Amino acid sequence: MPLMRIDMYRGRSKAEIKKILDIAYQVATEELHLLPRDRYQIVTQHDPEEMIVWDVGLGFDRTEKTLIVSLTSSPREEADKERFYARLVKELAAGAGVPPTDVLINITTNTKADWSFGNGEAQFMNGKL
């Protein structure tokens, strides 16, 4: 059930965006153990002056292919997160031509009480999920 937001520079084709979303979903499904149809993804495209992604002294030279992948998720095992990070950059490089140094990933953890999937209900809390 992670909510996945992907920020990118404007200019990719619809096919490129779909490929990025499909890769990210497939990797998250396998490495974070998602249920079928557990897919919540949002893409936001930015003009160059709207997104600054400098590295923190690691020597990365970011390109126009930079992606910021942000997940809001229930707690995950550290080993699952590490596998997700490593595999996501590998698959994005192979399938979408995104250099691994252009992928910044973060996960914000919350609890089941922090979700409503519709109708103003807390489905995890009321037993519907």
Side-chain angles (χ1 to χ4, degrees):
M1 139 225 49
L3 170 61
M4 184 181 297
R5 295 179 173 273
I6 302 178
D7 290 273
M8 62 181 66
Y9 292 111
R10 192 174 315 285
R12 285 186 166 93
S13 70
K14 289 180 181 182
E16 289 173 304
I17 293 170
K18 183 179 182 329
K19 185 70 169 173
I20 290 166
L21 289 172
D22 289 346
I23 289 169
Y25 173 68
Q26 185 65 38
V27 172
T29 297
E30 294 171 10
E31 301 303 342
L32 300 178
H33 317 290
L34 305 184
L35 297 173
R37 293 183 41 89
D38 194 2
R39 188 170 184 171
Y40 302 92
Q41 295 173 300
I42 300 169
V43 168
T44 304
Q45 297 185 63
H46 302 273
D47 291 325
E49 67 275 7
E50 297 175 333
M51 194 166 88
I52 299 171
V53 188
W54 294 348
D55 79 76
V56 293
L58 298 172
F60 299 154
D61 291 322
R62 311 269 190 203
T63 75
E64 74 284 348
K65 294 185 177 191
T66 294
L67 301 174
I68 300 174
V69 181
S70 302
L71 281 76
T72 302
S73 175
S74 57
R76 305 285 171 177
E77 296 292 327
E78 285 186 16
D80 292 342
K81 290 179 186 181
E82 287 185 278
R83 280 193 309 277
F84 172 72
Y85 302 152
R87 184 158 167 228
L88 182 59
V89 299
K90 179 181 176 184
E91 298 291 333
L92 286 170
V98 179
T101 55
D102 274 353
V103 183
L104 185 147
I105 307 165
N106 75 3
I107 298 177
T108 301
T109 302
N110 65 9
T111 67
K112 291 183 176 188
D114 297 314
W115 293 92
S116 171
F117 294 93
N119 294 329
E121 299 178 56
Q123 288 87 354
F124 283 127
M125 303 299 289
N126 68 16
K128 290 186 177 178
L129 282 178

